[in-house]
Amino acid sequence: MGAYDAELGAAVERAQQGDDEGFAIAYRLVQPGLIGYVRGLVGNDAEDVASDAWLEISRDLGRFRGDGAGFRGWTATIARHRALDHLRRQKRRPRTSLLEQGTLEIPGGHDTAAAVLEKISTEQALELIGSLPRDQAEAVLLRVVVGLDGPATARVLGKRPGAVRTASYRGLKRLAAQLTKAGAGGVAPETQRTLKDER
């Protein structure tokens, strides 16, 4: 992560000086992990929540102080807050049906087969992580998907580093047991849910 964080830190510094290309680089480096984390929290609404988070990130970028690793932690904290806000709003309003959601999706101009294969493996991984208790799932998502270290994960979650290490360890141990139980076929049927189902 050292070279990655150095590149990210340099891109953030450029972005703070108004360089659009610097912001684009920072976005490309952070977005994959961030969207994986948010998807683990809110499921299919991850793109919308991540967009809200990036609006806040771009607005407050001038106030950020730190390096590349610090930026990943800062963006994860913002994304977590937006995800929790989203889940609270969902509790108060009715959801659209699956039929309505399907009619709103517009096909894109990309390699569909590759996108489907990537989505299947990502969804299976997130379903497994979503089967964990919430504290373990968030710790695993932040440590493995976003790539934060223990202290940064602890800051995002508002917990002690020792509690985060324990939650990560227990979560990964439970995931290993689930994978062994499910075999090479993928996710065990009883584990197919997301953190959003725990509301």
Side-chain angles (χ1 to χ4, degrees):
M1 282 286 185
Y4 168 86
D5 282 335
E7 181 183 2
L8 178 57
V12 169
E13 191 174 312
R14 287 174 48 200
Q16 288 178 315
Q17 296 168 1
D19 182 356
D20 291 339
E21 182 61 25
F23 187 84
I25 292 168
Y27 176 85
R28 283 193 302 268
L29 291 172
V30 172
Q31 177 66 358
L34 195 67
I35 196 73
Y37 172 56
V38 174
R39 187 170 286 121
L41 297 175
V42 301
N44 292 333
D45 296 332
E47 294 287 340
D48 293 336
V49 172
S51 293
D52 289 344
W54 279 104
L55 284 173
E56 185 173 337
I57 291 163
S58 65
R59 183 192 69 209
D60 296 342
L61 185 61
R63 290 190 268 178
F64 170 74
R65 299 290 175 259
D67 59 5
F71 185 74
R72 284 187 294 118
W74 183 67
T75 59
T77 300
I78 291 170
R80 182 174 192 262
H81 291 160
R82 295 298 65 79
L84 295 176
D85 289 347
H86 176 78
L87 292 174
R88 280 190 289 272
R89 279 192 307 272
Q90 272 193 329
K91 283 183 181 179
R92 293 189 299 257
R93 68 171 189 235
R95 297 181 189 180
T96 58
S97 71
L98 290 177
L99 178 61
E100 291 170 357
Q101 288 176 357
T103 59
L104 296 176
E105 293 178 10
I106 300 170
H110 56 281
D111 181 1
T112 305
V116 167
L117 290 175
E118 182 179 317
K119 185 175 180 181
I120 288 171
S121 62
T122 300
E123 284 180 359
Q124 287 177 335
L126 291 174
E127 285 172 358
L128 278 172
I129 294 169
S131 71
L132 299 173
R134 186 178 191 103
D135 65 326
Q136 293 176 16
E138 279 200 84
V140 169
L141 285 168
L142 287 167
R143 296 290 309 269
V144 177
V145 178
V146 178
L148 298 182
D149 62 12
T153 300
R155 284 190 298 275
V156 170
L157 297 176
K159 296 184 176 191
R160 293 184 327 276
V164 168
R165 274 193 306 277
T166 300
S168 302
Y169 173 77
R170 289 180 179 162
L172 290 171
K173 189 173 178 179
R174 187 176 282 187
L175 287 174
Q178 287 178 358
L179 286 171
T180 302
K181 181 178 172 184
V187 180
E190 69 272 8
T191 66
Q192 295 181 356
R193 62 189 181 89
T194 65
L195 291 180
K196 134 179 166 171
D197 300 328
E198 289 190 9
R199 288 177 290 164

